[in-house]
Amino acid sequence: MGKPLIFITNDDGYSARGLAALIEIGRKFGNVVVIAPEQPQSGKSHSITMYNPLYLRTIRKEEGLEVYACSGTPADCVKLAFDHLLADRLPDLTLSGINHGSNSAISVLYSGTMGAAIEASFYGRPSIGFSLTDHSADADFRAASAIAETVVAKTLASNIEMPMCLNINIPVGTPEQIRGVRVVRQNEGYWKETFVRRQDPRGNDYYWLTGDFYNAEPGATDTDEWALDNMYVSVVPIQVDMTNHRQVATLGAIFNE
């Protein structure tokens, strides 16, 4: 069968340290192809480019590794890989990240990291998004890299039902401080945004987005937020179906004719 083909992308850009960490891990298991954005694309979610051309630039080519930079979004990177560059042989596994900053709870909806992972899952292949809950430029990726390597090994060795898309978040800490891994559910919470208004030198108003996350179920012990707060790696299986199944019957009684 030969070596597994592993596709890697992210939303922090092709030169990000987290991406370099995933490339190093991927090369331990198989041949690696990377398409990552030219520029940081955080918060792009599942957006795609429709009204501008996409450019693909070769960054690096060597035995077992190809790296490209794409002018588009993380989801664009996946589409270019699966529908063009790797159309003759789809990857055995897709990895996205390692993101600078958490993508737990509702952040999964905004995340370009997870947008790419979810897009890859549409093709019937396993995909995993990795995020480290540290936004700093000098973030320590040792624990995240160790976790990612273990997860990749177990995924490739297991017969997991498809589609499979995992949202994995790693708390800040040394490898010794991580207490373990927990498969949990997505926390119910929300972001309360604040816009800071300022003026440019010409007197025009502009706005900076900021905000805080509010945990709507602080007592729950089966969520990603609880796991991270207690120094566990959170693993949340993600699905595309956003139907509120609990309301189907009730609403059907009201609206069906």
Side-chain angles (χ1 to χ4, degrees):
M1 295 286 292
K3 292 183 177 180
L5 177 59
I6 299 174
F7 175 67
I8 300 178
T9 188
N10 72 348
D11 72 356
D12 289 322
Y14 74 92
S15 61
R17 291 176 55 234
L19 183 76
L22 270 192
I23 292 173
E24 183 177 341
I25 293 165
R27 298 193 76 179
K28 295 180 180 180
F29 296 94
N31 296 318
V32 173
V33 174
V34 180
I35 302 181
E38 281 274 10
Q39 304 294 331
Q41 297 281 325
S42 296
K44 293 294 186 179
S45 186
H46 216 109
S47 63
I48 56 175
T49 301
M50 297 179 64
Y51 301 109
N52 293 294
L54 289 174
Y55 295 91
L56 197 62
R57 182 167 65 92
T58 302
I59 301 297
R60 182 179 172 189
K61 271 192 177 184
E62 58 189 65
E63 182 67 29
L65 175 65
E66 297 180 18
V67 181
Y68 303 89
C70 171
S71 61
T73 68
D76 287 330
C77 293
V78 174
K79 287 181 177 293
L80 271 174
F82 282 65
D83 294 323
H84 173 63
L85 195 65
L86 304 176
D88 293 335
R89 182 195 171 183
L90 293 182
D92 298 289
L93 177 64
T94 294
L95 308 177
S96 184
I98 302 170
N99 188 65
H100 282 264
S102 174
N103 279 314
S104 61
I106 198 172
S107 295
V108 68
L109 296 179
Y110 302 101
S111 167
T113 299
M114 289 309 301
I118 293 169
E119 178 68 32
S121 74
F122 293 165
Y123 295 80
R125 294 293 195 272
S127 61
I128 307 169
F130 293 97
S131 301
L132 174 65
T133 60
D134 189 344
H135 288 278
S136 62
D138 60 347
D140 183 353
F141 282 95
R142 287 179 299 160
S145 294
I147 292 296
E149 183 171 341
T150 299
V151 168
V152 169
K154 289 184 176 181
T155 300
L156 290 173
S158 302
N159 185 22
I160 302 174
E161 180 182 358
M162 294 295 116
M164 187 206 82
C165 180
L166 302 181
N167 180 19
I168 297 182
N169 285 272
I170 301 100
V172 176
T174 64
E176 296 75 23
Q177 291 173 318
I178 304 298
R179 298 174 64 185
V181 177
R182 291 291 184 270
V183 177
V184 290
R185 64 178 175 86
Q186 180 181 321
N187 174 269
E188 293 183 12
Y190 61 94
W191 284 93
K192 176 62 177 176
E193 277 81 13
T194 301
F195 287 90
V196 178
R197 185 176 68 180
R198 297 174 182 171
Q199 285 192 332
D200 66 19
R202 296 183 178 181
N204 299 310
D205 289 340
Y206 67 93
Y207 299 86
W208 278 110
L209 173 65
T210 184
D212 296 294
F213 176 75
Y214 288 85
N215 187 340
E217 42 181 352
T221 60
D222 62 341
T223 72
D224 49 9
E225 288 296 321
W226 178 89
L228 294 169
D229 287 344
N230 288 274
M231 292 303 293
Y232 288 99
V233 175
S234 69
V235 178
V236 178
I238 298 297
Q239 65 180 11
V240 177
D241 182 5
M242 297 179 69
T243 306
N244 186 338
H245 293 277
R246 291 175 296 180
Q247 291 186 341
V248 169
T250 302
L251 292 174
I254 296 171
F255 296 110
N256 286 350
E257 297 180 356

